[in-house]
Amino acid sequence: MGFSYPNDDVPLMCYNAAKSWQTGWYDDKSIVVRVDDPPSCFNGTLHGIADYPIATTVLLKIENESGIDHFVNYNAKKGINMGTQDGANLVTVVSRPAGIRDSYAESELVAKLGVGENYTLPGFVVMVEDVDLNDGVARVIVLPDALMGNGTCDDYGDDTSQKI
């Protein structure tokens, strides 16, 4: 599912957000945000994969009408992800063509976001409000264009979205 290192056990790192979605390993802690009517949004905490057992959410999928899906996770450099090589302790946004979940598709890292940074994609903006290195979490908002200027995800409560 991507680049490989010559050693079997190092570096300790996880798949990117799109490949993690493809595996289906984190279904119970994954959320889909859609551009539906009404649109959904996300305002909550993303845990790194290493904290999966205690996490509420580790992975977001953003679906829009562009034919490209975007996937968001917090790339916490700890535990099973201690050897991450790119985007350590940042929120990463990865794109891949929309399609069947377990089908092959190339993915592309399109953004590495720290506190106060955002990334705009068709129909949505991803914003990082806070990163707590001690707890290994990031506070993230995914807001559809339809809600820009009309309110925020705060208007809909914490971790508002659609669980898969």
Side-chain angles (χ1 to χ4, degrees), residues 143-162:
L143 196 61
D145 289 348
L147 294 180
M148 295 296 282
N150 296 329
T152 68
C153 220
D154 290 335
D155 297 334
Y156 302 94
D158 193 38
D159 291 345
T160 300
S161 55
Q162 180 175 348

Side-chain angles (χ1 to χ4, degrees), residues 44-139:
T45 301
L46 282 180
H47 287 82
I49 297 297
D51 288 328
Y52 173 80
I54 63 166
T56 52
T57 307
V58 297
L59 188 59
L60 302 175
K61 178 183 183 189
I62 303 170
E63 295 179 348
N64 57 28
E65 297 169 349
S66 71
I68 303 292
D69 289 333
H70 290 80
F71 302 85
V72 180
N73 75 332
Y74 175 55
N75 194 28
K77 185 173 182 159
K78 65 187 267 189
I80 63 170
N81 200 41
M82 181 57 79
T84 189
Q85 304 291 302
D86 195 15
N89 297 318
L90 297 172
V91 172
T92 62
V93 181
V94 177
S95 67
R96 76 164 263 187
I100 299 170
R101 172 183 223 142
D102 60 356
S103 64
Y104 172 79
E106 288 189 22
S107 58
E108 178 183 1
L109 177 64
V110 295
K112 297 179 278 191
L113 306 173
V115 175
E117 296 182 315
N118 62 58
Y119 178 74
T120 301
L121 56 119
F124 289 90
V125 63
V126 178
M127 300 174 276
V128 179
E129 288 200 320
D130 190 35
V131 171
D132 185 329
L133 295 176
N134 293 326
D135 290 340
V137 297
R139 183 81 178 169

Side-chain angles (χ1 to χ4, degrees), residues 2-13 83-86:
F3 179 80
S4 180
Y5 290 89
N7 302 318
D8 288 338
D9 298 326
V10 290
L12 293 174
M13 59 185 189
T84 189
Q85 304 291 302
D86 195 15

